């Protein structure tokens, strides 16, 4: 809840300097300032034009921390953004995780940026940065019509040709099989009718911001423009089943003209066909789109409270539109009926294929040749609890400003809200942690699950959905990500189902936060044993056989930030002062121990970097390239059987930090790095902003303006500068203090 005493706006006093029309305006600071000098004197340069801004001073220690973090993130010298204004995955370049290079970006990073600007607008009442963030997202991460040129050929009655997924990369390429029937896409025609075109309004998940790979798949400008292209480039990596870690991927452009890779570009590494067409293809990460919508909901709420909703109305409408297309994540990959256990199971004809969960992806693509066009779309059969966003589902089904325009969107999201909350309940261990997820396509091939597999509306329980190297349910960050949205829903709506889940999860999570002075740790890795009970909505089981344990602890500042946000939303709604105090101690410890010039960080020792030069081992790790397949990367790196991650990314050897990795590969100690991931910095910043907003302190109102500065005179003047002086303003006892002066030429601030 916002408090009117959280911030005080600057009192403005002015004096006029003759024909020069210069004014000195005093600014109020939050705490008492030292007395102003008796006769301030400044020399200012007079630009042709400068924006007129309203200065505001935000109260609260944690709000000030937020603004400190915000300033560091937005400082161009710190390297969080590219020259085009695109957020990098991390400031550092040598980092390998889901993105395989630090100066790639993800839809995740963009969604955190939208969150950051929503919080900034709440604190400062300045909403221009939020609109700018969405505009940048739309320009560089949502493919333009030119980037998806043959969508008009898409046939919802025949959405895609089936190809099995396999558990290991060595089973690829996967043959296209028209003998397995796909269901009908029940929302494609509706979306086209609603928006008047067949384009998809969703973010592709990954882009090479500086065109490091050299594909040159530049948004709106071309397909494979090559290494000389400037700016961001759409790319993809993961394509070959749950065992394919980032270390085993072959990067490829999202638009294939066969200039790079092999004779068919990169297509025949992944799918087997009789012939290959030049094509475009994009993959959406639904949790990122949902997070962006979630952030815009809060921005709209706060802007409305400030009387400034009109300033972001356009962005709110775009977020609602994104939510319309995000429904593709609620459907089975090939639109098969839910509960499918055979490739021959019925194909959906209506909403029978709607599992209602935010699945791991949706994807779409088509031919480049507009004279022989075709296009396809798929949902996903695999759902991880950490991707769910019941807050977004609630917003998209209840908030008039964010309800999508399509006729069935509201009911789809209302159904998804219930289904997602049931999913959490089904997967919750007695200790409180939430287990993995479920699939409607066992082994990625609509196989029959093993006997005894628990089910959720016919979908089989999977301990580690989507990826196994490392297991996707091991990282504690999934707990913080997934549960933050449950806590937001509870805070915003009072949903008793959300509260029941949180009432079990919060004590478990809070008990495993360890703080002693400025020393702290949180869970890092989890262990899981057993399985949940098969779901019965009328009489849910106790899940007595499902157990979660803490495998390791650590200092992941991003996870700590989102964990704090989760607990703060809960504590504010439930009145849990003990949890509030625990989070406060954690945030204080991070602020005391982990600040650095770029933000907050903690050292990380990366033993996994030993995999940089791993060759392929049959049945084991390494980059799998089929026998006889050869090709090249844009820089000339050869792609052939036996190559390593590094062999097809040889430019890593020129990275400023590479010597640390080379020493490790040569037998030295594992290297230690300090990373500044964009999402992690914004998570900590968000937790700081949340603390003061959710637990405001009441300060006496400052109702007396400082005195008007007097005696404004000019000394030396030129055509472009003036030296001016004046008698300082004074403030009343108990006032906020005079922090400084703004100089105006007419209505334009010049210094």
């Amino acid at each position: 809840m916002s408090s009117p005493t959280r911030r005080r706006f600057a009192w403005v006093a002015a004096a006029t300097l003759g024909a020069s029309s210069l004014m000195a305006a005093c600014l109020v600071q939050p705490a008492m300032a030292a007395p102003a000098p008796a006769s301030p004197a400044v020399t200012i340069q007079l630009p042709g034009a400068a924006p007129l801004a309203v200065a505001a001073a935000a109260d609260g220690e944690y709000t000030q921390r937020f603004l400190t973090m915000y300033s560091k993130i937005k400082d161009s010298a710190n390297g969080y953004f590219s020259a085009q204004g695109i957020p990098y995955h991390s400031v550092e370049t040598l980092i390998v995780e889901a993105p395989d290079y630090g100066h790639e970006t993800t839809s995740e990073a963009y969604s955190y940026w939208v969150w950051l600007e929503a919080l900034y607008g709440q604190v400062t009442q300045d909403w221009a940065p939020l609109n700018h963030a969405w505009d940048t997202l739309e320009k560089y991460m949502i493919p333009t019509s030119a980037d998806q040129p043959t969508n008009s050929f898409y046939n919802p009655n025949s959405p895609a040709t089936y190809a099995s997924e396999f558990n290991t990369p060595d089973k690829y390429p996967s043959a296209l099989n028209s003998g397995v029937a796909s269901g009908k896409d029940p929302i494609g025609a509706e979306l086209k009718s609603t928006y008047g075109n067949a384009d998809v309004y969703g973010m592709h998940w990954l882009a090479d911001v500086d065109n490091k790979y050299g594909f040159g798949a530049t948004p709106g400008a071309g397909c494979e423009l090559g290494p000389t292209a400037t700016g961001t480039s759409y790319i993809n990596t993961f394509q070959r089943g749950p065992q394919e870690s980032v270390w085993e991927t072959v990067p490829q452009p999202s638009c294939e003209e066969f200039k790079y890779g092999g004779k068919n570009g990169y297509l025949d590494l992944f799918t087997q066909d009789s012939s290959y067409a030049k094509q475009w293809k994009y993959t959406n990460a639904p949790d990122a789109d949902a997070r962006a919508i979630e952030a815009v909901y809060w921005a709209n709420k706060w802007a409305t409270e400030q009387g400034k909703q009109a300033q972001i109305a356009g962005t709110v409408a775009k977020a609602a539109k994104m939510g319309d297309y995000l429904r593709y994540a609620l459907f089975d990959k090939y639109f098969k009926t839910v509960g499918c256990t055979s490739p021959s199971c019925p194909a959906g004809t209506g909403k029978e294929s709607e599992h209602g969960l935010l699945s791991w992806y949706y994807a779409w693509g088509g031919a480049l040749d507009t004279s022989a066009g075709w296009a396809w779309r798929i949902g996903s059969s695999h759902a991880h609890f950490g991707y769910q966003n019941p807050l977004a589902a609630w917003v998209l089904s209840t908030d008039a400003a964010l309800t999508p325009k399509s006729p069935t969107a509201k009911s789809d999201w209302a159904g998804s809200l219930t289904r997602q909350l049931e999913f959490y309940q089904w997967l919750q261990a007695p200790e409180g942690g939430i287990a993995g997820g479920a699939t409607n396509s066992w082994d990625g091939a609509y196989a029959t699950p093993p006997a005894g597999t628990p089910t959720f509306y016919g979908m089989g329980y999977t301990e580690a959905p989507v990826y196994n190297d490392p297991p996707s349910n091991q990282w504690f960050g999934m707990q913080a990500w997934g549960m933050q949205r449950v806590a937001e829903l509870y805070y915003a709506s009072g949903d008793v189902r959300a509260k029941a889940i949180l009432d079990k999860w919060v004590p478990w999570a809070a008990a495993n936060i360890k703080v002693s002075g400025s020393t702290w740790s949180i869970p890092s890795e989890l262990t899981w044993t057993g399985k949940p009970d098969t779901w019965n909505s009328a009489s849910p089981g106790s899940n007595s056989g499902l157990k979660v344990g803490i495998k390791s602890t650590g200092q992941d500042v991003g996870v700590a930030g989102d964990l704090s946000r989760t607990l703060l939303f809960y504590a504010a709604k439930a009145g849990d002062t003990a949890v509030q105090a625990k989070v406060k101690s954690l945030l204080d410890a991070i602020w005391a121990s982990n600040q650095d010039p770029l933000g907050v960080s903690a050292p990380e020792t990366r033993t996994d970097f030993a995999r940089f030069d791993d060759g392929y081992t049959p049945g084991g790790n390494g980059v799998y390239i089929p026998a006889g397949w050869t090709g090249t990367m844009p820089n000339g790196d050869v792609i052939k059987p036996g190559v390593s991650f590094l062999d097809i990314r040889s430019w890593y050897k020129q990275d400023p930090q590479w010597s640390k990795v080379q020493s490790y590969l040569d037998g030295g100690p594992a290297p230690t790095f300090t990373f500044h991931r964009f999402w992690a910095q914004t998570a900590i910043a968000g937790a700081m902003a949340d603390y003061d907003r959710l637990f405001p302190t009441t300060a006496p109102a400052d109702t007396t303006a400082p005195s008007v500065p007097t005696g404004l005179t000019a000394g030396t003047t030129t055509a472009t500068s003036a030296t001016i002086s004046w008698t300082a303003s004074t403030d009343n006892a108990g006032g906020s203090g005079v922090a400084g002066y703004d100089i105006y030429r007419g209505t334009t601030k010049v210094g």
Side-chain angles (χ1 to χ4, degrees), residues 154-296:
Y154 176 63
N155 179 5
N157 292 324
S158 181
T161 302
Y162 173 82
S164 292
E165 299 171 15
F166 295 102
N167 288 327
T168 56
D170 63 325
K171 299 298 191 293
Y172 286 81
S174 178
L176 295 172
N177 184 354
S178 59
V180 177
S182 295
K184 296 180 179 180
D185 170 359
I187 64 174
E190 178 181 79
L191 289 166
K192 184 176 182 179
S193 175
T194 298
Y195 296 102
N197 60 65
D199 292 345
V200 172
Y201 192 81
M203 288 188 281
H204 176 61
W205 85 279
L206 183 65
D208 181 1
V209 178
D210 299 331
N211 196 27
K212 187 70 172 180
Y213 278 110
F215 293 123
T218 306
C223 186
E224 289 182 328
L225 302 181
T228 60
T230 57
T232 192
S233 176
Y234 290 127
I235 64 170
N236 207 352
T237 50
F238 301 96
Q239 292 281 291
R240 300 184 292 186
Q243 196 58 39
E244 184 187 45
S245 76
V246 65
W247 299 105
E248 296 153 345
T249 57
V250 179
Q252 77 266 196
S254 292
C255 187
E256 293 258 20
E257 290 183 319
F258 304 163
K259 292 181 181 178
Y260 308 108
K263 63 180 181 179
N264 300 306
Y266 297 81
L267 297 175
D268 51 355
L269 287 173
F270 312 117
T271 57
Q272 179 183 328
D273 201 358
S274 57
S275 63
Y276 296 87
K278 297 176 181 180
Q279 59 189 264
W280 53 272
K281 55 194 186 301
Y282 304 106
T283 302
N284 178 277
D287 76 318
D289 284 37
R291 185 184 292 111
I293 294 164
E294 163 196 339
V296 170

Side-chain angles (χ1 to χ4, degrees), residues 423-460:
F423 197 53
Y424 281 100
Q425 186 179 356
W426 174 56
L427 293 169
Q428 189 163 32
E431 295 88 351
I434 313 296
T439 182
N440 196 51
S441 180
W442 194 264
D443 281 342
Y446 296 108
T448 301
T453 300
T455 58
F456 178 79
Y457 290 103
M459 301 172 70

Side-chain angles (χ1 to χ4, degrees), residues 59-115:
D59 283 344
E61 176 184 359
Y62 297 86
T63 303
Q64 290 301 320
R65 292 180 185 179
F66 165 77
L67 291 172
T68 296
M69 289 290 297
Y70 183 89
S71 295
K72 289 181 178 182
I73 294 168
K74 298 300 286 288
D75 186 341
S76 60
N78 287 343
Y80 286 98
F81 290 84
S82 75
Q84 290 177 291
I86 296 170
Y88 289 125
H89 171 66
S90 66
V91 170
E92 297 76 22
T93 51
L94 202 162
I95 182 172
V96 180
E97 33 205 31
D100 59 349
Y101 180 64
H103 279 196
E104 292 168 355
T105 194
T106 59
S107 55
E108 170 193 272
Y110 274 96
S111 68
Y112 272 94
W113 184 20
V114 173
W115 241 129

Side-chain angles (χ1 to χ4, degrees), residues 96 100-101 104 213 237 246-251 612 623 633 635 637 644-654 658:
V96 180
D100 59 349
Y101 180 64
E104 292 168 355
Y213 278 110
T237 50
V246 65
W247 299 105
E248 296 153 345
T249 57
V250 179
F612 258 103
V623 180
M633 299 297 286
N635 71 339
D637 286 347
S644 67
F645 176 95
L646 181 62
D647 287 333
I648 55 177
R649 301 166 176 84
S650 63
W651 38 261
Y652 253 128
K653 295 179 182 179
Q654 280 72 56
W658 176 253

Side-chain angles (χ1 to χ4, degrees), residues 337-340 354-358 381 383 385 388 415-428 436-442 449 453-462 532-537 540 543:
T337 54
V338 178
C340 184
E354 186 174 15
H355 49 64
L357 300 170
L358 279 174
S381 305
F385 93 87
Q388 304 312 300
S416 177
L417 171 60
T418 296
R419 189 61 57 93
Q420 288 184 50
L421 290 172
E422 289 181 321
F423 197 53
Y424 281 100
Q425 186 179 356
W426 174 56
L427 293 169
Q428 189 163 32
T439 182
N440 196 51
S441 180
W442 194 264
T453 300
T455 58
F456 178 79
Y457 290 103
M459 301 172 70
Y461 170 69
T462 48
D533 300 327
T534 288
W535 177 250
N536 181 339
S537 59
N543 287 348

Side-chain angles (χ1 to χ4, degrees), residues 14 16 19 26 44 51 81 122 166 184 252 261 273 338-339 386 442 502 524 538 554 718 732-733 742:
T16 302
C26 63
I44 58 171
F81 290 84
Q122 193 274 328
F166 295 102
K184 296 180 179 180
Q252 77 266 196
D273 201 358
V338 178
W442 194 264
L502 290 159
S524 178
T718 69
N732 63 299
D742 280 348

